[in-house]
Amino acid sequence: MKSIVIHTEKKEVSRVTCRKNVLQRALPEALSAYKEAFVFTDETVRALYGKKVRAALGDVPMHAMPAGEEHKTPETLLSLLAAMAGAGLHRNACLVCLGGGVVGDIGGLAASLYMRGIACIQVPTTLLSQVDSSVGGKTAVDFMGVKNLVGAFFQPRQVFADPAFFATLPPREIRCGLGEIVKHGALDGDIYDTLQANRDRLFDLDFLAEIVPANIAFKARVVRADATEKGLRKCLNLGHTTAHAFELLDGKLSHGEYVLVGTMFEAELAKRHAGGDAAYLDELQSLCLAVLGGMPALPDAVEAARFALLDKKNTGKGSVVMTVPVAKGKYQLLELSGEQYCEELQEIGRKLC
Ligand code: NAD
Ligand code: GLY
């Protein structure tokens, strides 16, 4: 695949490339433009790929956080910044974020803060981070019980997506990435058709390698048009309001699994309140269910709805605002009062679970 360039006001800000052998070739080549490099990763990824990093980059300083969303905290961010300062990094250094979305989001935020901003290269190692989180410059940590409450828009200079990383991913992480891919399918008719036509090979690594570029291209198109989420980019939050609510309350499933659940709930809201095409939305829900492998046990929907009211995307007027799917490749914003959202979520929970 050719590189996809993301630019705002005609200035190139980020370049995303799908490559094989990223660690051995593209990354060392890209880092030769910087005086210093620093690798941020998590302990799981370090155990799997640390030796390859050393073989490719030599004695580069490396800092690994404990793996997992529960460590996406200001404390982890501060310990990374301390390690960067301890290594004596200068302004012309490049921070390499090697890992999933947690590493990418925290690392991107650290790069935006350190000396008021140093270069950052994302090397996403999960399916989710390749098709979604590494592209587009959203960075954050969770804070005071709210997901991604503290963050910044900060575009990585480069993103290198290598499907070879999928070989070590547990099936659950594949499902997690498929959650965001199905979300793209709910927004883009071509991605939707590809997923429906390949229902029997959704977990096949060759199929996933095939569909990563189209998913990156879709996301890059949205980010190019609206890098700071003033309008169009809000569409990428489809399924996420309800997903974040269940995720914060429960936390037993992965982010992408909650996105699939959230998409199912919000598709139901679209049937009721947005004139959604019921046949299409049934089919979309069935795709979500196929990826989930059955409906998971969920916590109390009313409690979850209360968390949704805390979502940072809301207006603060006590209502819940969501992007909901309405027909193939079509979606719209839906605003419900907090009370109505609570009631309906409970009803939908009874219907779906
Ligand atoms: P993650 O970073 O926690 O990775 C999932 C697990 O997979 C971790 O245990 C990790 O150690 C392990 N792992 C990573 N690469 C591996 C590999 N190649 N082989 C084996 N194991 C590997 O989770 P994620 O699903 O990648 O990302 C979720 C995060 O991304 C959430 O915090 C979410 O908020 C964020 N996100 C951000 C954006 C954005 O635009 N910035 C978009 C979507 C999601
Ligand atoms: N994942 C949502 C966004 O990047 O805007």
Side-chain angles (χ1 to χ4, degrees), residues 132 138 183 219 229 233 236:
D132 189 356
K138 273 192 184 177
K183 177 195 79 180
K219 176 145 189 197
E229 202 173 300
R233 188 166 179 175
L236 298 176

Side-chain angles (χ1 to χ4, degrees), residues 276-342:
D277 171 343
Y280 161 77
L281 292 168
D282 284 349
E283 198 184 57
L284 175 64
Q285 286 174 318
S286 123
L287 177 64
C288 294
L289 204 56
V291 175
L292 281 166
M295 200 63 189
L298 291 172
D300 181 58
V302 172
E303 276 298 298
R306 290 207 185 96
F307 274 89
L309 285 166
L310 293 175
D311 194 289
K312 63 185 182 314
K313 294 187 289 303
N314 290 322
T315 54
K317 287 186 258 156
S319 60
V320 179
V321 185
M322 293 154 280
T323 301
V324 294
V326 288
K328 190 160 89 173
K330 296 211 168 76
Y331 46 88
Q332 70 176 59
L333 275 186
L334 174 67
E335 181 163 2
L336 293 179
S337 71
E339 208 176 303
Q340 192 175 12
Y341 178 73
C342 280

Side-chain angles (χ1 to χ4, degrees), residues 226-246:
D226 176 23
T228 51
E229 202 173 300
K230 301 279 190 304
L232 178 69
R233 188 166 179 175
K234 289 185 206 283
C235 76
L236 298 176
N237 295 322
L238 187 145
H240 278 61
T241 301
T242 307
H244 282 166
F246 280 120

Side-chain angles (χ1 to χ4, degrees), residues 42 44 69 72 100-102 105 125-126 133 138 147 165 168:
D42 72 28
T44 304
E69 178 73 26
K72 195 178 174 185
V102 169
D105 279 14
T125 60
T126 59
S133 62
K138 273 192 184 177
K147 246 187 90 73
F165 287 116
T168 52

Side-chain angles (χ1 to χ4, degrees), residues 55-333:
L57 303 182
D59 200 17
V60 63
M62 198 183 308
H63 180 74
M65 63 174 280
E69 178 73 26
E70 66 275 27
H71 300 288
K72 195 178 174 185
T73 57
E75 290 73 22
T76 304
L77 171 71
L78 289 178
S79 78
L80 167 59
L81 288 168
M84 289 162 69
L89 282 199
H90 295 98
R91 185 165 279 149
N92 51 11
C94 179
L95 180 70
V96 177
C97 304
L98 173 74
V102 169
V103 161
D105 279 14
I106 301 174
L109 185 54
S112 80
L113 293 170
Y114 190 78
M115 294 194 172
R116 301 195 183 88
I118 62 168
C120 171
I121 291 180
Q122 294 278 353
V123 184
T125 60
T126 59
L127 179 60
L128 180 142
S129 56
Q130 292 200 9
V131 295
D132 189 356
S133 62
S134 64
V135 180
K138 273 192 184 177
T139 74
V141 291
D142 302 339
F143 189 52
M144 306 215 14
V146 184
K147 246 187 90 73
N148 300 327
L149 186 66
V150 175
F153 286 104
F154 188 73
Q155 297 291 344
R157 296 277 171 87
Q158 304 230 44
V159 180
F160 292 121
D162 183 346
F165 287 116
F166 302 159
T168 52
L169 273 183
R172 190 142 182 230
E173 296 305 334
I174 302 277
R175 179 176 301 126
C176 179
L178 277 166
E180 300 289 2
I181 290 173
V182 169
K183 177 195 79 180
H184 288 167
L187 296 166
D188 179 276
D190 291 339
I191 294 178
Y192 184 78
D193 286 341
T194 304
L195 293 173
Q196 290 293 13
N198 289 277
R199 285 271 287 247
D200 56 335
R201 56 192 288 256
L202 291 173
F203 285 79
D204 177 317
L205 296 193
D206 291 331
F207 172 65
L208 295 172
E210 281 166 34
I211 60 169
V212 163
N215 276 272
I216 291 177
F218 169 72
K219 176 145 189 197
R221 271 200 307 278
V222 174
V223 173
R224 252 198 310 259
D226 176 23
T228 51
E229 202 173 300
K230 301 279 190 304
L232 178 69
R233 188 166 179 175
K234 289 185 206 283
C235 76
L236 298 176
N237 295 322
L238 187 145
H240 278 61
T241 301
T242 307
H244 282 166
F246 280 120
E247 187 169 4
L248 275 167
L249 178 60
D250 190 35
K252 295 196 180 78
L253 308 178
S254 68
H255 175 74
E257 288 169 324
Y258 284 114
V259 170
L260 291 160
V261 167
T263 303
M264 290 181 72
F265 273 72
E266 293 179 14
E268 205 58 33
L269 289 173
K271 288 182 207 165
R272 295 167 182 214
H273 300 286
D277 171 343
Y280 161 77
L281 292 168
D282 284 349
E283 198 184 57
L284 175 64
Q285 286 174 318
S286 123
L287 177 64
C288 294
L289 204 56
V291 175
L292 281 166
M295 200 63 189
L298 291 172
D300 181 58
V302 172
E303 276 298 298
R306 290 207 185 96
F307 274 89
L309 285 166
L310 293 175
D311 194 289
K312 63 185 182 314
K313 294 187 289 303
N314 290 322
T315 54
K317 287 186 258 156
S319 60
V320 179
V321 185
M322 293 154 280
T323 301
V324 294
V326 288
K328 190 160 89 173
K330 296 211 168 76
Y331 46 88
Q332 70 176 59
L333 275 186

